[in-house]
Amino acid sequence: MTALDLSSPVAVVGTGTMGQGIAQVALVAGHPVRLYDAAPGRARQAADAIGARLDRLVEKERLTAAERDAARARLRPVEELTGLAGCSLVVEAILERLDVKQELFRALEDVVPDGCLLATNTSSLSVTAIGGALRLPGRFVGLHFFNPAPLLPLVEVVSGFATDVTCATRAYETARAWGKTPVACADTPGFIVNRVARPFYAEAFAVYESQGADPATIDAVLRECGGFRMGAFELTDLIGQDVNESVTRSVWQSFFQDVRFTPSLAQRRLVESGRLGRKTGRGWYDHGEGAERPEPHTAEPARPPAYVVAEGDLGPASELLAMIREAGIEVREEDEDNGTRLVLPGGGQLVLADGQTSVEFRDVVYFDLALDYRRATRVALSHASNTSPVTVAEATGLFQALGKHVSVIGDVPGMIVARTVARIIDLAVDAVAKGVATEDDIDTAMRLGVNYPLGPLEWSRRLGGGWACSVLDNLHECDPSGRYAPSLALYRHAYASDLREGSA
């Protein structure tokens, strides 16, 4: 099944920001486009706004004047739904209410031919439920664009329970012909991105709620150590706290209040107070004119240790051994099966975050997972209240000698990056096992949809198949609510990895 022919008219219903963006994508690809909005005059206003954006594309030399003029000639606003007759694809981008969407598509079935593809851009509602109201639900599919649609490449092509494979394939190929990167997924709460991304926000908020660190420090660690483009607090301020919290709540409720998706009480209070982020001038941060951004906690300079004793190869942090030597600090190595620690001159231990807390051990400082220890500019440390000050100072000085800023946080199991990445991997592996999408499509969706530095499955391969399961097992012991219990799929993934490594 191939993409829609460029001569096929495409309709967009709903002319807000997303609707205009989708219309622009189809228009620039070469289709005749019709715009409809239930509010009188809105379709004409949207057509004028799209025309202005085409002008800007010409100014930026991304479109020629001739291409702009041809595109404008193909764009037609209509004031009645009957004006969409003869379209080959209708994409809906209206209010996120099931009854309103169902009513629209029932009306569309009386207007468009039976061969017309019907698509919803919903991000939170069930594609199956919307399509269930139709006479021909097999032609109904989800086309979830990301905002701004003309710029962001990802499109989630969502098959409802009744969607015909041929229709889903045509929608997929059409999105690709429009210059997008489509990924195929089943109709599950949150689809791919909004399902797998929940821990990125949830774990940052959990660290804050436990008073482990302040928002500025958590964001800095996620960016400068974890390699994420933005931290969870600044990103939700950009998205809008109400929007982000609504998606979280929708996914949680759709999964029958699964504890793994539980919304944050702190974020709920933020929404209730009207502090919605940049659009209201205040969210986690103050965005008012002249407001100063709070600085992350950064430790004062400390003297580095003269040497460290490496017990084992440090696993995912093995690159640190070469970096320590390059900094002029002696590394004394001791063979230790599965060892992942450094022993400091004062007798304390420096251990990669593993989901446990320092209070469980004598004189231990944990350090967080980094995407790339060489490129990281900040590393987080955590310790218990009774950890020796000498151990804390030696650990701090060690990382400072490697050129890193050091943020010391509370004794939080799994710290910040480690617990976040472990949970993201778990949800991704679970989604693959349940047929939501393929490994490649999930990795593509998370890189392109939310700018993750690595796809979750790629991250798992880099860290080792059993790493996430081990971290979550330990977290589950600390918090047996079920929030951190590894999925059955992750257990299988871990054991399969162990068998592969054992036979290598």
Side-chain angles (χ1 to χ4, degrees), residues 236-314:
T236 52
D237 265 5
L238 176 64
I239 295 169
Q241 298 303 330
D242 53 338
V243 174
N244 181 261
E245 202 258 357
S246 176
V247 172
T248 298
R249 189 167 295 275
S250 173
V251 171
W252 173 63
Q253 291 174 337
S254 297
F255 275 115
F256 308 104
Q257 300 186 358
D258 186 331
V259 68
R260 295 176 303 164
F261 300 100
T262 301
S264 161
L265 181 58
Q267 188 181 37
R268 174 96 292 255
R269 293 292 179 257
L270 207 63
V271 172
E272 290 172 340
S273 69
R275 296 183 176 187
L276 306 183
R278 292 190 183 184
K279 62 187 176 184
T280 61
R282 190 175 183 114
W284 296 110
Y285 299 108
D286 185 350
H287 299 280
E289 186 177 350
E292 292 187 9
R293 182 69 173 267
E295 292 294 325
H297 173 270
T298 301
E300 294 295 325
R303 185 187 300 274
Y307 68 90
V308 295
V309 178
E311 295 185 351
D313 64 3
L314 299 190

Side-chain angles (χ1 to χ4, degrees), residues 283-474:
W284 296 110
Y285 299 108
D286 185 350
H287 299 280
E289 186 177 350
E292 292 187 9
R293 182 69 173 267
E295 292 294 325
H297 173 270
T298 301
E300 294 295 325
R303 185 187 300 274
Y307 68 90
V308 295
V309 178
E311 295 185 351
D313 64 3
L314 299 190
S318 59
E319 182 67 13
L320 285 175
L321 297 180
M323 295 169 60
I324 293 169
R325 291 189 180 96
E326 291 163 12
I329 299 171
E330 181 186 357
V331 177
R332 304 173 184 176
E333 296 192 50
E334 292 186 2
D335 291 333
E336 183 82 14
D337 290 340
N338 300 317
T340 55
R341 67 181 63 84
L342 295 172
V343 180
L344 299 164
Q349 298 180 41
L350 188 56
V351 181
L352 175 63
D354 59 6
Q356 300 180 92
T357 62
S358 294
V359 76
E360 299 173 60
F361 305 98
R362 181 180 176 276
D363 213 15
V364 166
V365 170
Y366 277 105
F367 65 96
D368 210 348
L369 178 73
L371 173 69
D372 182 333
Y373 283 100
R374 284 193 177 275
R375 297 178 63 182
T377 57
R378 182 177 300 272
V379 172
L381 303 179
S382 70
H383 64 87
S385 58
N386 62 348
T387 301
S388 165
V390 172
T391 299
V392 176
E394 288 179 337
T396 300
L398 176 64
F399 279 103
Q400 288 173 339
L402 304 184
K404 315 300 180 188
H405 295 298
V406 174
S407 291
V408 181
I409 69 171
D411 190 16
V412 179
M415 302 193 68
I416 297 171
V417 179
R419 68 194 287 165
T420 300
V421 171
R423 287 208 58 217
I424 288 170
I425 289 172
D426 183 34
L427 291 188
V429 170
D430 186 53
V432 172
K434 291 178 176 171
V436 173
T438 65
E439 289 190 8
D440 286 345
D441 275 357
I442 288 176
D443 278 354
T444 297
M446 301 314 291
R447 286 197 313 271
L448 299 183
V450 277
N451 287 312
Y452 283 5
L454 294 174
L457 286 308
E458 183 183 1
W459 226 326
S460 180
R461 288 189 291 271
R462 176 186 286 198
L463 294 168
W467 177 85
C469 191
S470 176
V471 170
L472 291 177
D473 260 337
N474 290 332

Side-chain angles (χ1 to χ4, degrees), residues 80-222:
E80 300 293 337
L81 206 60
T82 53
L84 307 185
C87 286
S88 298
L89 167 65
V90 180
V91 184
E92 164 272 315
I94 64 171
L95 184 68
E96 285 286 84
R97 272 183 49 185
L98 178 62
D99 58 336
V100 176
K101 291 180 187 290
Q102 287 178 328
E103 182 181 357
L104 167 68
F105 282 109
R106 278 194 295 262
L108 278 168
E109 280 201 303
D110 294 332
V111 172
V112 299
D114 287 354
C116 176
L117 278 175
L118 298 178
T120 176
N121 184 59
T122 186
S123 62
S124 61
L125 298 177
S126 165
V127 170
T128 300
I130 300 170
L134 301 183
R135 175 173 53 86
L136 298 173
R139 60 165 164 177
F140 189 73
V141 67
L143 278 178
H144 182 215
F145 289 77
F146 288 74
N147 194 28
L151 297 180
L152 295 186
L154 184 69
V155 177
E156 293 177 317
V157 182
V158 186
S159 293
F161 188 78
T163 303
D164 289 338
V165 173
T166 53
C167 292
T169 302
R170 171 154 284 184
Y172 182 98
E173 293 300 333
T174 298
R176 184 157 63 178
W178 290 358
K180 296 301 181 183
T181 303
V183 292
C185 66
D187 183 22
T188 185
F191 309 141
I192 297 173
V193 173
N194 281 333
R195 172 180 178 154
V196 177
R198 289 354 288 163
F200 178 73
Y201 313 107
E203 294 312 307
F205 298 160
V207 172
Y208 167 75
E209 289 174 334
S210 67
Q211 300 188 52
D214 60 279
T217 299
I218 296 169
D219 278 353
V221 172
L222 286 168

